[in-house]
Amino acid sequence: MCGIVAILNVKEQTHELREKALKMSQKIRHRGPDWSGIYCGGTAILAHERLSIVDPESGNSASLCRAI
């Protein structure tokens, strides 16, 4: 299981909004205690909690996908 939280329609990126997203993410940490990440950009702040199922030692994956 994993969990994702988001703050959308952000007018201005602030430290307070980033902290709010991190607090929201901490509330769902039980859904994915192995890795977490945050992305702040444009008009959105996204945070996620990840559960490594296949390989907890090296199961990290990128939180941002770039087009090839």
Side-chain angles (χ1 to χ4, degrees):
M1 249 190 250
C2 297
I4 299 170
V5 298
I7 300 176
L8 305 173
N9 296 321
V10 174
K11 304 281 188 247
E12 180 181 342
Q13 295 282 339
T14 64
H15 179 72
E16 290 80 15
L17 283 176
R18 187 181 194 285
E19 289 300 313
K20 186 178 280 191
L22 288 173
K23 284 183 183 179
M24 290 166 50
S25 186
Q26 288 172 353
K27 296 230 182 241
I28 61 167
R29 182 139 304 149
H30 63 280
R31 295 183 60 88
D34 296 320
W35 196 78
S36 62
I38 188 164
Y39 168 79
C40 302
T43 60
I45 300 173
L46 306 171
H48 78 295
E49 300 295 326
R50 181 170 180 273
L51 177 62
S52 296
I53 296 172
V54 177
D55 185 4
E57 295 297 319
S58 62
N60 293 339
S61 62
S63 58
L64 183 62
C65 179
R66 298 179 193 270
I68 297 175

